[in-house]
Amino acid sequence: MIEGFFPATAMPDKDWWAALWPSPEAVLRALGIRPGMTVVDLCCGDGYFTAPLARIVQGQVYAVDIDPAMIEQCRAALDAAGASVLSLICADARGLPDLLDGEVDCVLIANTFHGVPDKTGMAMAAARVLRPGGCLIVVNWYPLPRERTVVVGEPRGPRTDMRMSPEQVREAVEPAGFVQDRVVDLPPFHYGAIFQKEVPEQEEKRR
């Protein structure tokens, strides 16, 4: 495996990906993405979610992926959608705090968290770039047997043993300085776990 690449996080074929996510913009809105936010699309892949994300937040997006080929596909997806982002960053997601100039409102990591070797460490990296009260959104497959997650006639998604329940995600993320806000059901096979960065006590008193 290439250094920095996470296990089982190759981009899916567009035919079944589009069948599974026919309206990515609606998914993002259901997760609480709204105009006025500045968002990191972490491990953005080919830009399937990046382009609609950029439309919602008027381009206030940092799209990060370690694979140069994915960055170029993301660029093409943005061009095709007539959307733009603040920056397309080809780098290791684990180095996120060194990649941005300032704090952001939200870090989105979709369909990748299950393959991160150090999940709490990744959440810590996200926490370092989020403003107090900002959110981390993890979109994951439910821990169903892979043979049951059939899309366009074939089982899809990561291996069964790699899938995580919302509770397992919570256990990995909260030690990084987050509290779980809610879990959003994303039929047929996914959920979005939404966490808020804890506000330091002294800052809370100033509010």
Side-chain angles (χ1 to χ4, degrees), residues 25 28-29 32-41 49-63 78 83-86 105-106 108 137:
E25 186 166 331
L28 293 166
R29 292 186 183 278
I33 301 296
R34 61 188 184 278
M37 282 182 159
T38 300
V39 183
V40 176
D41 187 2
F49 282 95
T50 315
L53 175 61
R55 286 196 296 266
I56 295 173
V57 300
Q58 292 88 49
Q60 297 300 299
V61 177
Y62 296 95
L78 289 164
S84 62
V85 295
L86 293 169
D105 300 297
C106 179
L108 169 71
I137 302 174

Side-chain angles (χ1 to χ4, degrees), residues 12-199:
D13 295 335
K14 286 186 179 293
D15 59 346
W16 72 262
W17 202 233
L20 180 59
W21 302 104
S23 181
E25 186 166 331
V27 170
L28 293 166
R29 292 186 183 278
L31 293 169
I33 301 296
R34 61 188 184 278
M37 282 182 159
T38 300
V39 183
V40 176
D41 187 2
L42 198 57
C43 306
C44 65
D46 65 3
Y48 191 78
F49 282 95
T50 315
L53 175 61
R55 286 196 296 266
I56 295 173
V57 300
Q58 292 88 49
Q60 297 300 299
V61 177
Y62 296 95
V64 180
D65 201 281
I66 196 171
D67 188 341
M70 290 295 99
I71 289 292
E72 290 309 308
Q73 289 187 41
C74 185
R75 192 188 310 277
L78 289 164
D79 290 344
S84 62
V85 295
L86 293 169
S87 185
L88 286 166
I89 303 171
C90 187
D92 191 324
R94 295 170 294 188
L96 183 61
D98 298 321
L99 304 177
L100 307 184
D101 295 329
E103 294 180 328
V104 299
D105 300 297
C106 179
V107 174
L108 169 71
I109 180 166
N111 303 295
T112 304
F113 195 72
H114 62 268
V116 176
D118 180 4
K119 297 174 176 61
T120 302
M122 176 66 84
M124 287 178 177
R128 287 178 59 191
V129 303
L130 283 168
R131 64 168 179 79
C135 67
L136 170 64
I137 302 174
V138 178
V139 175
N140 255 6
W141 293 77
Y142 277 115
L144 299 167
R146 190 174 189 271
E147 60 269 20
R148 289 180 51 192
T149 54
V150 175
V151 185
V152 191
E154 293 184 25
R156 310 287 182 171
R159 299 193 317 259
T160 301
D161 65 298
M162 296 186 72
R163 301 183 184 209
M164 303 176 69
S165 69
E167 178 62 18
Q168 288 173 311
V169 173
R170 186 189 68 77
E171 290 173 355
V173 169
E174 287 194 337
F178 290 94
V179 291
Q180 189 172 79
D181 180 23
R182 64 192 186 279
V183 175
V184 177
D185 186 38
L186 301 173
F189 304 130
H190 285 75
Y191 62 90
I194 303 172
F195 301 87
Q196 284 194 322
K197 181 179 175 180
E198 292 183 306
V199 179

